[in-house]
Amino acid sequence: MAPTILIVGATGNTGRSVTETLPTLLKSSNTLSDHRIIGLTRSLNSPAAQQLAKLPGVEVVEQNWVEITADWLREHEVVRAFIASHNEPNQFAEESAFHLAALKAGVKYVVRISTTAANVRPDCDAYYPRTHWAIEALLSSPEFNGLQWTSLQPNVFSPLYLSSAAEFIKQYRRTGKQETLRLMASKDAPVGIIDPDEVGVLAAHLLSQDDPAVHNKAKYVLNGPEDITGSQIVDMIEQRIGTKVKDVSYKDMSFIDTIYEHKFAATQQSKNIILSIKHAPETAWEGKCTASTTSKEVLELAAPKRTPAEVLRALLEE
C-alpha cells in the first residue's frame, strides 16, 4: 500500500474538483508521484462517485467520515487530507474528532474548508462561523503542533448566490410571468462571490506541494475574480428576459425559514440556532467581502477566474 492523500467529501461542492485536479498535479511532483488518492463518498452508486472512480490513481471508498478513527487513517496510510465538513450544529464535535484522529495517526498535513473570512470570529451572530473559528483555534493550539494545516476561507459560493436569479429567468421563460425576485445580495454592496470548483482547485494545489510547511497555520481568503452587486444581478436578469424586473426583494434570507421547516423542524435542533444563519451575509452587505480581500498566496497558486456571468450561464445551461 502506498502513502495516501484522503479527500473527505469527494463528491461534494469543493471535494469534487479537488479529486479531479489532484491526480495531474501529483504526476509532476518530485516527492508525491507515488502517492495514491482515496476519495470518500456516502454512496458508491451515485453518478458523481462512479465518475470520480474512473480517474487514474483515484480510489473511491464508501465511508462515513465522522466514523473515521486514528486506526483507520493508519491502516490506509493517510499522510495528507482534505476535509469539507458539514456546517450543522454538531460540526465542532465531529470535525474536531477528525483532526484529533489525524494528529494521533501521524497525518502530516490537512487542508480544510472554513467560511467567509469576515465572519470567522467568536462574536459572529450566525452560529457556524463561530464553529470554524473554534476549529481554527483548536488547530492553532500547541497541542496540535504535530499536524500541519491550512484553512481556506471562501466567500459565499456563486451558484447559491445566483440560484434565485437563475430560477427567476427559467420561470419567466416558461410562463412569461414574474413573481418577486428574492436576492441574498444587497442592492449596492460589491461581493466577490466564488465558484466552489475553484476553491477545490486551490486545495489540490496545496495538497500537491512538495513541502507544505510555508502554508502551515495559514488562513487564506478566497473570492472570485470580480465583485457583483444586487443591482448588477438584476441587470444580468433583464438582459436575458428582455424586460424590466418588476419587484426585487434584496437582502432576502427567507429561504432559511424553508430550510428549517423542511430539514430541522422535526429534529431536536434549536430553531434559534438554525435561523441565526440569516445573519451570515451581513458582513457582505457592509462591503467587507470584496474580491480585493483575496490572499496573495491564492492569486499566486491558483487564482480564481470564473465570473458571475459565467456561473449564471452555467446555471441556465445556455
Side-chain angles (χ1 to χ4, degrees):
M1 192 178 293
T4 298
I5 300 176
L6 177 67
I7 302 173
V8 172
T11 57
N13 270 343
T14 53
R16 185 182 64 254
S17 60
V18 178
T19 313
E20 292 170 343
T21 306
L22 192 54
T24 301
L25 296 176
L26 293 187
K27 283 181 183 178
S28 58
S29 168
N30 295 324
T31 60
L32 305 173
S33 57
D34 64 336
H35 285 44
R36 64 180 189 144
I37 300 167
I38 290 181
L40 297 191
T41 181
R42 284 176 291 186
S43 173
L44 289 172
N45 296 322
S46 72
Q50 292 179 355
Q51 195 66 32
L52 292 178
K54 297 176 184 177
L55 296 172
V58 174
E59 178 185 356
V60 180
V61 174
E62 192 170 289
Q63 168 69 43
N64 187 346
W65 70 268
V66 303
E67 303 299 334
I68 285 177
T69 63
D71 286 342
W72 190 97
L73 293 168
R74 290 190 201 99
E75 178 187 342
H76 291 83
E77 296 188 36
V78 175
V79 294
R80 297 186 181 189
F82 166 85
I83 179 168
S85 176
H86 61 75
N87 64 353
E88 294 183 12
N90 62 339
Q91 177 190 346
F92 181 83
E94 294 186 336
E95 187 180 345
S96 65
F98 176 86
H99 293 302
L100 182 59
L103 176 69
K104 290 185 172 181
V107 174
K108 302 301 183 186
Y109 181 51
V110 172
V111 177
R112 68 176 298 273
I113 301 297
S114 181
T115 190
T116 306
N119 288 346
V120 184
R121 59 183 201 274
D123 64 341
C124 184
D125 287 326
Y127 78 87
Y128 67 91
R130 299 196 302 269
T131 299
H132 285 292
W133 172 86
I135 290 286
E136 292 175 356
L138 174 141
L139 291 171
S140 299
S141 68
E143 290 83 355
F144 274 80
N145 280 343
L147 178 65
Q148 295 189 84
W149 58 276
T150 304
S151 194
L152 305 184
Q153 299 179 332
N155 206 338
V156 61
F157 290 160
S158 44
L160 171 64
Y161 208 71
L162 297 175
S163 61
S164 62
E167 288 307 311
F168 184 93
I169 294 168
K170 290 177 182 178
Q171 181 176 341
Y172 183 81
R173 287 173 173 174
R174 286 194 306 266
T175 68
K177 297 178 180 178
Q178 293 190 25
E179 295 185 358
T180 299
L181 171 63
R182 302 185 184 279
L183 295 178
M184 187 189 313
S186 70
K187 183 176 182 180
D188 298 317
V191 182
I193 59 177
I194 186 166
D195 190 294
D197 282 350
E198 298 197 301
V199 179
V201 169
L202 175 68
H205 276 79
L206 288 165
L207 289 166
S208 65
Q209 296 291 298
D210 288 327
D211 182 3
V214 67
H215 304 291
N216 185 29
K217 294 184 169 69
K219 304 168 190 175
Y220 292 147
V221 180
L222 286 81
N223 300 285
E226 62 184 45
D227 294 321
I228 191 165
T229 65
S231 61
Q232 288 173 325
I233 295 173
V234 173
D235 288 343
M236 289 199 301
I237 294 170
E238 291 176 343
Q239 289 171 10
R240 283 169 170 78
I241 66 174
T243 188
K244 289 290 184 181
V245 175
K246 296 175 181 177
D247 184 26
V248 184
S249 175
Y250 293 106
K251 300 184 181 180
D252 194 310
M253 297 296 289
S254 57
F255 70 94
I256 301 298
D257 296 291
T258 303
I259 290 174
Y260 175 78
E261 293 301 328
H262 285 82
K263 185 174 181 180
F264 293 105
T267 72
Q268 298 300 310
Q269 302 287 6
S270 162
K271 183 176 183 179
N272 181 52
I273 294 297
I274 300 303
L275 295 188
S276 75
I277 296 172
K278 292 183 178 184
H279 294 287
E282 289 173 356
T283 49
W285 300 338
E286 294 167 359
K288 296 178 180 177
C289 302
T290 62
S292 65
T293 63
T294 301
S295 298
K296 64 179 179 61
E297 293 86 353
V298 173
L299 300 177
E300 293 165 356
L301 280 172
K305 300 175 182 177
R306 205 167 187 210
T307 66
E310 290 171 327
V311 172
L312 181 60
R313 190 177 306 120
L315 290 173
L316 295 170
E317 297 178 342
E318 290 180 345

